[in-house]
Amino acid sequence: MVALEIVDSHTAGEPTRVVTAGGPDLGNGPLSERVRRWSSTLDHYRSAIVNEPRGSDVLVGALLCEPVDRTCAAGVIFFNNVGYLGMCGHGTIGVVETLRHLGRLQPGTIRLETPVGVVAATLHPDGRVSIENVPSYRHHADVVVDLPVWGRFVGDVAWAGNWFYLVHTGNALPLTLPNVDVLTDLAWQLRQRVNAGGFPEVDHVELFSEAQDPGGHSRNFVLCPGKAYDRSPCGTGTSAKLACLAARGDLAPGETWVQESILGTRFEASYVWHDHERLRIIPTITGRACVNAETRLLIDERDPFAWGIRR
């Protein structure tokens, strides 16, 4: 019998499951190497933690581990129903709230090591969390995709800890919950065409349009690698959006951008230049997470789905 201690939370509606004890032994070395070790020899742990029957497609997992960089409070590896994530914005906010819930963190700023770099996270006295993401940038502007029935789309490819194709959908298809199935189909088609068109690294698609609530700047629908949509405004997706705005000169450093999710929840975001000449920014995303479970996952080898229902 294998037992894993976990804490569940959600950030603006998007769930995070933090493994605090009992996870796979990935040894030492850079987190990127540990991810490769996990994916090649111990991937059944990922499946057991986030896939059915214990999890669901929308669930993002986070494994706490020892950092290589000793200035960091912890290392964290994010994963989902189909694989591993370089960074996860909503998940980082969930990790910080989890550490606060466990009594391991007081208001202030800490550093967390991820497979793609170190991120700073600030727990505010009111419970909000701000994360300073890895350097982010627009990789390619005005990427054209033609889809049967849908027509032509023009968007940007950007990096912000994960790879995104970001495209404005206008008002013809509102970014609302009744349209989730249609939005999922559209975003999936866009990803396939973008991948085939020279950007195989893109695994997130971000559709955006005008905000629906007063005070917001934009509403988005983000389709994640495993074909689940992000219930939050997506931390790395919002970072990618800022990178594109900065590259176009449409948002000044320090100016606040309010990003809505398809649920209407919000992140506040801003940036500073990391490398102005190369149009690289450091985004800061602020949101709030809520812990909703603290429990133990049991893995019994007699269970035919002990290691999850795998694709």
Side-chain angles (χ1 to χ4, degrees), residues 202-230:
V202 169
D203 57 4
H204 290 71
V205 172
E206 181 170 351
L207 311 178
F208 63 90
S209 64
E210 289 69 31
Q212 297 187 10
D213 297 324
H217 292 96
S218 177
R219 173 171 287 223
N220 68 16
F221 172 87
V222 176
L223 194 67
C224 300
K227 214 174 181 179
Y229 72 92
D230 199 322

Side-chain angles (χ1 to χ4, degrees), residues 1 12 61 80 120 137 139 143 170 195 226 235 244 263 270 276 294 296:
M1 181 79 71
N80 64 8
Y137 59 93
H139 176 61
V143 176
N195 290 161
C244 295
L263 301 184
S270 63
H276 197 167
E294 184 177 352
R296 176 182 297 167

Side-chain angles (χ1 to χ4, degrees), residues 63-136:
L63 176 71
L64 295 181
C65 53
E66 286 295 319
V68 176
D69 186 336
R70 292 301 170 181
T71 69
C72 294
V76 57
I77 297 172
F78 294 104
F79 51 99
N80 64 8
N81 58 332
V82 294
Y84 301 85
L85 302 168
M87 233 297 281
C88 181
H90 95 269
T92 303
I93 295 173
V95 166
V96 171
E97 173 59 20
T98 293
L99 293 174
R100 185 211 62 78
H101 170 77
L102 294 174
R104 301 182 188 178
L105 184 63
Q106 299 296 320
T109 299
I110 61 170
R111 286 160 56 86
L112 296 170
E113 188 171 9
T114 78
V116 294
V118 172
V119 300
T122 300
L123 174 63
H124 300 283
D126 65 359
R128 292 178 305 127
V129 176
S130 294
I131 62 167
E132 189 178 277
N133 199 3
V134 296
S136 305

